[in-house]
Every structure is written in structure tokens, then in C-alpha cells.
Amino acid sequence: MPEDVIALIERYPDFRKMYEQTYEICQNIEQVMGMFSKELYELDRNTVRYMIDRLQEENARQKEENF
């Protein structure tokens, strides 16, 4: 609600700059989607690395058990 934002700015003047930056970002939905896309890409990459590490550990454990 606009009244809440105004109250926050009056109480915490430094909040205004943060709010303006956030508002500007939200006005450009492509930029917001790009931010999410980059984060999801990184999350996927990290998940793949984790899964590979787990598979390598499991393979090593199975090799030890078989020998």
C-alpha cells in the first residue's frame, strides 16, 4: 500500500533509495526475468555438480566393496 511505503520512508529515510531501485527493477520485467534465469541456471549447474559428486562417491564405494 502506498501509505505504508510513505510511512516507512518518513521513518527510515534511507529506505527511499532502496525502494526506488526496487521499483525501477520491477518496471523492467525482462530484467527481472533475466535475474531469475541467471539464478536458475546457476542452481541447475550446482545441482548437476552435486549429483556427479554423489555418483562418483557411490561408484568409488561400490568398487571398494567389490574388491
Side-chain angles (χ1 to χ4, degrees):
M1 302 241 165
E3 309 85 40
D4 296 332
V5 173
I6 292 169
L8 280 169
I9 290 171
E10 288 174 352
R11 188 165 182 179
Y12 306 101
D14 292 340
F15 176 73
R16 181 185 190 111
K17 181 128 179 110
M18 290 185 289
Y19 180 79
E20 287 174 350
Q21 290 172 342
T22 303
Y23 183 80
E24 286 177 24
I25 289 171
C26 290
Q27 293 300 304
N28 185 346
I29 198 68
E30 287 181 26
Q31 184 179 0
V32 172
M33 294 308 292
M35 289 169 39
F36 282 116
S37 294
K38 289 176 188 176
E39 294 302 319
L40 288 173
Y41 172 78
E42 187 65 29
L43 180 62
D44 285 346
R45 217 173 81 191
N46 289 340
T47 300
V48 169
R49 285 183 186 159
Y50 173 76
M51 292 172 69
I52 289 171
D53 288 346
R54 292 289 308 256
L55 286 171
Q56 288 174 339
E57 290 170 6
E58 186 176 332
N59 284 341
R61 184 179 48 79
Q62 287 178 352
K63 284 180 183 178
E64 287 177 12
E65 289 175 1
N66 290 332
F67 289 106

